[in-house]
Amino acid sequence: MVDKVVQERECSKVEELYHMIGKKWMGLIVHTLMEEPKRFSEIHASIPDLSKRMLNERIKELEDCGLVLRNVITDRPVRTEYSLTKKGHELGKALKTVEDWANNWL
């Protein structure tokens, strides 16, 4: 009985992950932020088909999940950068495996 409960909990977590990263643009936004923090306009330029409205929505979702950190830099001019948290960076490394598979097989 305990094994079934543990298995159901693990499946629930996996399902939650796939629901989150399965949303259009989520994986590409994480991919774009893997190398270094970027401003909104830089992320938008990296993913040309992504509308600003949708990018804003997805970034907020990634922040809410604890994957992306929003940093306001108060120097003149004031600007905002987005970076991956440790949790987000670990997800990016996992998604890199999927990216490698896609490059080999698609």
Side-chain angles (χ1 to χ4, degrees):
M1 184 67 162
V2 173
D3 288 337
K4 184 176 181 181
V5 172
V6 170
Q7 186 179 15
E8 286 175 0
R9 193 174 325 129
E10 288 175 357
C11 286
S12 176
K13 289 179 181 184
V14 171
E15 182 179 3
E16 183 180 343
L17 169 67
Y18 280 127
H19 177 73
M20 179 184 56
I21 64 169
K23 289 183 178 179
K24 193 165 186 175
W25 309 115
M26 291 294 233
L28 284 174
I29 295 168
V30 170
H31 172 81
T32 300
L33 292 172
M34 278 298 288
E35 303 242 344
E36 62 186 1
K38 290 188 173 54
R39 295 188 320 269
F40 186 92
S41 60
E42 293 173 314
I43 299 168
H44 185 254
S46 296
I47 312 171
D49 292 336
L50 174 57
S51 72
K52 289 180 180 180
R53 181 191 63 79
M54 183 58 70
L55 175 57
N56 190 48
E57 185 178 314
R58 292 299 187 239
I59 283 181
K60 284 181 182 177
E61 289 178 87
L62 289 165
E63 283 182 87
D64 291 345
C65 293
L67 298 170
V68 167
L69 180 65
R70 181 178 185 262
N71 183 29
V72 178
I73 300 166
T74 57
D75 296 343
R76 295 280 182 211
V78 175
R79 62 191 187 279
T80 303
E81 284 187 341
Y82 297 92
S83 60
L84 294 176
T85 62
K86 181 177 181 184
K87 180 178 171 181
H89 205 282
E90 289 296 317
L91 175 60
K93 289 195 291 189
L95 292 176
K96 174 74 170 99
T97 303
V98 175
E99 180 184 325
D100 292 343
W101 181 91
N103 287 331
N104 287 328
W105 295 99
L106 297 180

